[in-house]
Amino acid sequence: MSLTRIVYCSESVKHIGSNEISDILDVSRTNNAKQAVSGVLLFNSDYFLQCLEGSRAAVNSIYCRICCDQRHHNAQLLAYGEVSERLFSAWSMAYIPWTEATRTMIAQYASGSEFNPYHMSSESVIRLLEAFGRSLLKSEP
Ligand SMILES: Cc1cc2nc3c(=O)[nH]c(=O)nc-3n(C[C@H](O)[C@H](O)[C@H](O)COP(=O)(O)O)c2cc1C
C-alpha cells in the first residue's frame, strides 16, 4: 500500500457553525477510521484546510466525496503525494480550533496578516501541518 497524503483548501458557501463542524467531524471520524485514514481539519469561518492520509485509493475516494459536498466549494489541492509516514496517525480526523494559538502558529508559515490557504505554497502548508502535528502530540494526555 502506498501511503498517500492529500492536502486541500476550500471555501465555505454559507455560515458554518460549531454544530455543523461537529457533524462533519463525526461523519469523518467514523468513515475515515473504517478506511484507516487519518488527518486534520482546520476551519476559520471562511476557509477549510484539510489533510487526509492513508492508502491512495482511500484518500482519493474520500476526497472525491468531500469535493461534492455542497457546504463548501472551490476545493484546491495544495499538496498530493506519497509519504513515508503519517503526521496525524493518532487521529481519524483531528480538529484545529480557530484560536489565538492557532493564528500565532499560522503567522509563522503563512505570509500576510489574514489566513488565506489559497495563497500558501505547498511547502509552507506542509510545514504548518507538521507544526499542528507536533502541537497535537504535545497536548495528548
Ligand atoms: C470540509 C469538509 C470535510 C470533510 N471531511 C470528511 C472526511 O474526512 N471524511 C469523510 O468521510 N467525510 C468528510 N466530509 C463529509 C463528506 O463530504 C460527506 O458528507 C460524507 O463523507 C458522507 O458520508 P456518509 O455517506 O457516511 O453519510 C467532509 C465535509 C466537508 C464539508
Side-chain angles (χ1 to χ4, degrees), residues 8 27-28 31-32 48 50 52 62 65-66 69 71:
Y8 77 90
V27 170
S28 302
N31 289 344
N32 297 358
F48 290 102
Q50 188 174 27
L52 297 162
I62 292 171
R65 206 164 63 230
I66 292 171
D69 196 307
R71 289 171 285 195

Side-chain angles (χ1 to χ4, degrees), residues 86-137:
R86 295 173 190 247
L87 291 173
F88 303 97
S89 54
W91 295 273
S92 50
M93 189 46 59
Y95 183 62
I96 306 284
W98 190 246
T99 62
E100 194 53 45
T102 303
R103 283 194 285 273
T104 303
M105 200 177 287
I106 286 172
Q108 294 172 46
Y109 300 97
S111 55
S113 52
E114 296 297 319
F115 172 58
N116 184 335
Y118 290 92
H119 294 166
M120 290 181 75
S121 68
S122 302
E123 195 189 334
S124 303
V125 165
I126 297 298
R127 285 172 55 217
L128 175 62
L129 292 170
E130 287 167 351
F132 284 148
R134 285 193 297 273
S135 95
L136 284 166
L137 277 175

